[in-house]
Amino acid sequence: MNIIDAHSHLWLKQDTWVDGKRILTTTNGRSIFMDEEVQMLPPFMTDGRNTAEIFLSNMNYAQVGAAVVVQEIIDGNQNAYLQEVQATYPDRFFCMGMAKNVEEVLAVHKAGLKGIAIPGHRLKGSLLEKMPMFKQMEALGMVLSMCLADDAHQIGEMAEVIQECPSLKVAIGHFGMVTTPSFEQQVLLAREGENVRIESGGITWLFNSEFYPYPSAVRSIRRAAELVGMDRLMWGSDYPRTITAITYRMSYDFICKSKELTDDEKKAFLGENAIQFYGFKNLPELPYIKNMSE
């Protein structure tokens, strides 16, 4: 089975401010996050560097062929580092830049990054103010990664963007904020255009109180498939934050072990849909490596 991670993060260091609150890498995998110390990474990542090489080691172990790297303003702008990652590992990563206007979109594209990630849930103002950006991205063949607020106020705006930019590829993140009342409305955005997909980055975080093997998460995947079809859905891990609670392999193997999805549905959700959407090629063969404890 080809497995593709449609939602992950990389950074060398977190060092930024959001809404006047501090976010800063410290030690032992911890960060100051919104003025509070949290375990941002697994504790063995002692220097706080969430690098491509560490992620590749996790991907190879978990037999994940490639990953889409998105960005979040809470991690600071990582465009320069992701440009390096994209150039170094072009077959393993599909890296997204951050941009605030058309000029920055053009700069991100020139740098070799494949799309723009917008954490819409953190934006002030209307998504429609960014329509010139979206039209430029559409013209350049870039992908838009969009996470929406956990209420319904951005859904209508996002539908208008999709209608105005029918050739723009759009991936809606966090599985439509699956544990909130806006879930089904967000998922239904995939009906607004042929180039819209829903990816599950963060689904284990959103169902963290239930924990592994996340039966409600599986049921939500089943429900989303009923609404828009399994061909519009993709798996994402939200690596590395989610692996403070579980291993990277656990972020998808609960789907493999579920009896509520068919083998063909699992293959589509875990990889084949993302291969088609993002255009991954030259995926590596990753044989299973037996654990020493087996």
Side-chain angles (χ1 to χ4, degrees), residues 220-234:
S220 73
I221 295 167
R222 177 82 274 152
R223 177 56 180 156
E226 292 170 356
L227 290 170
V228 299
M230 188 62 75
D231 62 320
R232 298 299 181 94
L233 309 179
M234 304 183 295

Side-chain angles (χ1 to χ4, degrees), residues 110-274:
K110 185 177 180 180
L113 299 179
K114 305 291 187 177
I116 301 292
I118 297 181
H121 57 302
R122 300 192 190 277
L123 288 182
K124 307 295 190 294
S126 170
L127 294 178
L128 301 182
E129 296 172 0
K130 297 189 177 295
M131 190 69 79
M133 279 179 53
F134 301 142
K135 288 186 176 294
Q136 184 64 71
M137 292 173 61
E138 182 183 31
L140 293 170
M142 302 179 80
V143 177
L144 171 63
S145 169
M146 175 66 74
C147 292
L148 298 175
D150 59 5
D151 56 31
H153 80 276
Q154 292 178 327
I155 295 174
E157 294 177 352
M158 194 67 237
E160 187 170 340
V161 171
I162 293 165
Q163 291 160 9
E164 286 288 315
C165 305
S167 297
L168 177 64
K169 287 187 173 183
V170 179
I172 305 295
H174 294 166
F175 214 57
M177 291 304 293
V178 60
T179 55
T180 72
S182 70
F183 165 56
E184 292 195 2
Q185 288 178 271
Q186 288 201 30
V187 169
L188 286 170
L189 285 169
R191 286 186 178 176
E192 296 290 335
E194 289 297 316
N195 293 305
V196 184
R197 301 292 184 271
I198 311 297
E199 48 91 343
S200 74
I203 197 169
T204 61
W205 150 60
L206 289 162
F207 285 104
N208 183 64
S209 60
E210 180 180 85
F211 206 62
Y212 189 89
Y214 307 107
S216 296
V218 176
R219 287 192 290 271
S220 73
I221 295 167
R222 177 82 274 152
R223 177 56 180 156
E226 292 170 356
L227 290 170
V228 299
M230 188 62 75
D231 62 320
R232 298 299 181 94
L233 309 179
M234 304 183 295
W235 170 69
S237 70
D238 212 5
Y239 174 98
R241 281 179 269 268
T242 49
I243 65 166
T244 57
I246 57 175
T247 68
Y248 186 48
R249 183 183 289 274
M250 288 169 70
S251 65
Y252 75 80
D253 74 355
F254 73 94
I255 296 166
C256 295
K257 293 173 181 175
S258 172
K259 296 181 180 179
E260 295 193 38
L261 303 172
T262 68
D263 287 347
D264 285 345
E265 288 174 329
K266 293 172 184 178
K267 289 177 181 178
F269 181 72
L270 290 174
E272 296 304 323
N273 294 342

Side-chain angles (χ1 to χ4, degrees), residues 44-116:
F44 53 78
M45 295 168 72
T46 56
D47 61 2
R49 288 167 57 89
N50 171 34
T51 65
E53 288 73 24
I54 292 175
F55 190 20
L56 280 170
S57 182
N58 273 286
M59 290 166 62
N60 292 344
Y61 170 73
Q63 298 173 283
V64 174
V68 179
V69 182
V70 302
Q71 293 198 56
E72 238 275 28
I73 60 173
I74 62 173
D75 301 324
N77 189 310
Q78 301 293 327
N79 285 357
Y81 178 53
L82 294 188
Q83 178 183 356
E84 176 186 329
V85 171
Q86 188 66 67
T88 306
Y89 306 105
D91 295 330
R92 302 299 301 276
F93 293 114
F94 186 108
C95 295
M96 302 274 191
M98 295 193 81
K100 297 178 181 178
N101 51 51
V102 170
E103 290 73 21
E104 291 183 6
V105 168
L106 291 170
V108 165
H109 183 261
K110 185 177 180 180
L113 299 179
K114 305 291 187 177
I116 301 292

